């Protein structure tokens, strides 16, 4: 099936135009743009 032992998920905050995507280390290594999910705390993104 081509599984590579990655956990598939996606998190973002805010309206579509202003949203920040939180990415895994793998996504960042692949060149995607966003915020490293392991650097964000829940109290910073949840109101």
């Amino acid at each position: 099936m081509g599984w590579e032992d990655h956990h598939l998920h996606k998190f973002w905050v805010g309206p579509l135009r202003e949203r920040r995507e939180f990415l895994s280390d793998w996504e960042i290594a692949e060149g995607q743009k966003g915020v490293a999910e392991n650097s964000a705390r829940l109290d910073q993104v949840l109101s």
Side-chain angles (χ1 to χ4, degrees), residues 10-33:
K10 185 69 82 176
F11 297 101
W12 60 86
V13 175
L16 185 58
R17 291 185 333 176
E18 301 171 13
R19 79 179 189 187
R20 295 177 295 159
E21 288 198 35
F22 294 91
L23 306 174
S24 68
D25 292 336
W26 183 81
E27 291 171 309
I28 292 171
E30 289 292 305
Q32 295 185 39
K33 302 294 182 202

Side-chain angles (χ1 to χ4, degrees), residues 9-15 18-23 34-47:
H9 60 274
K10 185 69 82 176
F11 297 101
W12 60 86
V13 175
E18 301 171 13
R19 79 179 189 187
R20 295 177 295 159
E21 288 198 35
F22 294 91
L23 306 174
V35 179
E37 65 185 12
N38 58 6
S39 71
R41 294 187 339 235
L42 286 178
D43 65 337
Q44 294 173 317
V45 297
L46 297 178
S47 54

